[in-house]
Amino acid sequence: MNETTEGRGHLSFAEIMSEPSVWASTLKDLEEHGRYAEVLRPLQPADEWVFVGCGSSYYVAQAAAWSWTAVTGQRAKAVPASELLLYPDQVLGKTKCQPVLISRSGHTTEMLMAADYLEKERNIRTLGISCATGKELEKLATATLLLPAADERSTVMTRSFSTMLLSMQALAGFAAGRNDFLQALKQMPGQAQRALERLQPRIEKFASANEFADYVFMGQGPFFGIASEGQLKVAEMSCSYAQVFHTLEFRHGPKSIVSPKTLLTFFLAESTGTSEQEVLEEMKELGGVTLVITNRANDKVRQAAGLLIELELDVPEVARLAPHVLAVQLLGLYLGLKRGFDPDQPRHLSRVVVLKGKAV
Ligand code: F1P
């Protein structure tokens, strides 16, 4: 904790701990300034929403696409910007699609190339989501939802990930006229603040006392994007080997890596019944160390969890998706500190991937 108030990792620590308050102020700001209606107005009716991103922003896209369908009933999918650039016809298909271009920096080359291609060559109106104002993405996209309060000073994305996800969930609620869902989203940050205060010292203690050879993150449905972000956070912030799987896929081969040196993080959904819980129990039997992040655990989960993080939020499952990422962001941070790295500035990484000679 001391180390994180000034030296290595102090920016990421402050940015993670600020998440619930940034969520609350962002949702309030977007609603009060009529931003949802403003960005939806110039768009055209679509058969499918296509959420596009790179890195963490691609994982935002995965969770946002799932949320979009859950809240609006419309078809949605997520793709990395590179897939759109390399296989545009397959990605866009023949039906009318609505691309949502997600980029914290609004400056990532692949994303700008995608925006330029969609708007100019395909004549498709795009919606941008960014935490940086006045950047190229804002100029290229037909409309942009801007979230400057969520931007970070550190290289890795933490609060921008969760805030961009939450904002798109709120946009879905607005588009579908789902007032119940919008109200649930607004109640969530206050409850998540209490959960964050409870889980932070527990993750710090756990990460400081243990080190593993492999880190595996598992989730299904809306939690797959969150599990993917967990894998990326631990890889980026602590230079560790980390992988992601759909929970039930883990039985189909990957489980061969399980040993006491493997940390298996499960994002357990309530809506999937006991199916994922059974994988957790099996992996515990095989000798893996388990970390469970869920809303409320039953007795079997309690027994099978090496470390159990319960969020205890009283809002529907989709509305409490974003706070599930808090524990794994802190896990990446503390593992990085323990391994002697600076999680604010990971090795080989920059805040934005700019490809030389590929300017739009
Ligand atoms: C996202 C991103 C990050 C990653 C890296 C470079 O860019 O790929 O996920 O951590 O440092 O940028 P953006 O398009 O969201 O700005």
Side-chain angles (χ1 to χ4, degrees), residues 54-57 102-106 108 155-157 164 232 236 349-353:
C54 299
S56 287
S57 292
I102 305 163
S103 174
R104 165 180 70 172
S105 63
T108 297
T155 300
V156 291
M157 292 173 59
M164 290 199 287
L232 186 64
E236 285 181 326
L349 297 189
S350 55
R351 280 190 102 240
V352 189
V353 175

Side-chain angles (χ1 to χ4, degrees), residues 13 92 97 108 116 120 175 237 245 278 316 335 345:
F13 178 74
L92 298 172
C97 75
T108 297
D116 192 64
K120 296 185 185 154
M237 293 170 114
F245 297 98
E278 285 156 14
L335 289 172
Q345 290 177 310

Side-chain angles (χ1 to χ4, degrees), residues 65-91:
W66 203 97
S67 304
W68 193 270
T69 300
V71 176
T72 67
Q74 286 176 298
R75 234 175 48 215
K77 69 181 175 196
V79 288
S82 53
E83 285 287 283
L84 177 56
L85 293 172
L86 297 174
Y87 297 100
D89 294 337
Q90 287 86 341
V91 168

Side-chain angles (χ1 to χ4, degrees), residues 42-347:
L43 305 182
Q44 287 161 332
D47 302 315
E48 183 178 49
W49 284 62
V50 181
F51 292 82
V52 188
C54 299
S56 287
S57 292
Y58 169 49
Y59 303 138
V60 175
Q62 290 179 345
W66 203 97
S67 304
W68 193 270
T69 300
V71 176
T72 67
Q74 286 176 298
R75 234 175 48 215
K77 69 181 175 196
V79 288
S82 53
E83 285 287 283
L84 177 56
L85 293 172
L86 297 174
Y87 297 100
D89 294 337
Q90 287 86 341
V91 168
L92 298 172
K94 295 213 182 305
T95 54
K96 284 189 191 135
C97 75
Q98 177 53 64
V100 182
L101 309 178
I102 305 163
S103 174
R104 165 180 70 172
S105 63
H107 188 56
T108 297
T109 306
E110 288 148 90
M111 189 54 85
L112 300 182
M113 289 170 76
D116 192 64
Y117 170 77
L118 290 164
E119 291 275 354
K120 296 185 185 154
E121 286 188 42
R122 301 290 289 242
N123 200 22
I124 297 174
R125 295 182 189 179
T126 61
L127 170 60
I129 309 275
S130 183
C131 300
T133 49
K135 294 292 182 187
E136 296 91 326
L137 179 63
E138 194 184 336
K139 291 172 194 144
L140 289 166
T142 295
T144 311
L145 200 61
L146 293 168
L147 315 167
D151 208 353
E152 291 104 356
R153 282 173 62 205
S154 53
T155 300
V156 291
M157 292 173 59
T158 53
R159 68 184 180 199
S160 58
F161 174 92
S162 55
T163 311
M164 290 199 287
L165 169 57
L166 214 54
S167 305
M168 278 178 281
Q169 292 183 320
L171 185 68
F174 181 87
R178 290 276 311 275
N179 223 6
D180 57 320
F181 183 70
L182 286 170
Q183 289 310 320
L185 283 183
K186 283 197 278 182
Q187 282 165 22
M188 186 277 287
Q191 298 177 22
Q193 178 67 45
R194 292 189 284 281
L196 176 58
E197 283 161 18
R198 284 196 306 273
L199 69 85
Q200 179 269 323
R202 298 184 65 219
I203 295 286
E204 181 176 12
K205 193 166 164 223
F206 178 79
S208 311
N210 296 286
E211 196 168 336
F212 300 91
D214 289 311
Y215 295 85
V216 173
F217 294 84
M218 285 173 266
Q220 298 259 168
F223 293 98
F224 186 70
I226 304 292
S228 302
E229 178 63 0
Q231 163 257 322
L232 186 64
K233 285 297 83 103
V234 164
E236 285 181 326
M237 293 170 114
S238 77
C239 283
S240 301
Y241 184 60
Q243 303 182 75
V244 63
F245 297 98
H246 288 91
T247 313
L248 273 63
E249 276 295 298
F250 195 65
R251 285 192 184 110
H252 297 272
K255 71 175 181 183
S256 60
I257 67 163
V258 173
S259 82
K261 281 277 152 210
T262 323
L263 178 66
L264 303 157
T265 299
F266 289 82
F267 290 93
L268 287 190
E270 276 177 356
S271 54
T272 54
T274 57
S275 314
E276 294 181 88
Q277 177 188 312
E278 285 156 14
V279 181
L280 164 71
E281 290 169 326
E282 286 166 33
M283 297 313 137
K284 174 86 172 175
E285 281 280 297
L286 291 180
V289 179
T290 56
L291 163 59
V292 175
I293 301 167
T294 192
N295 199 44
R296 285 193 178 87
N298 61 28
D299 287 344
K300 285 192 168 165
V301 170
R302 233 168 258 290
Q303 272 172 17
L307 177 66
L308 173 63
I309 301 293
E310 287 177 289
L311 298 177
E312 300 180 65
L313 307 183
D314 293 314
V315 292
E317 192 153 274
V318 182
R320 58 177 135 85
L321 196 50
H324 280 77
V325 81
L326 296 166
V328 285
Q329 292 172 340
L330 286 168
L331 181 68
L333 169 75
Y334 289 120
L335 289 172
L337 289 177
K338 186 173 183 218
R339 301 195 69 205
F341 294 108
D342 180 0
D344 291 340
Q345 290 177 310
R347 199 170 67 171

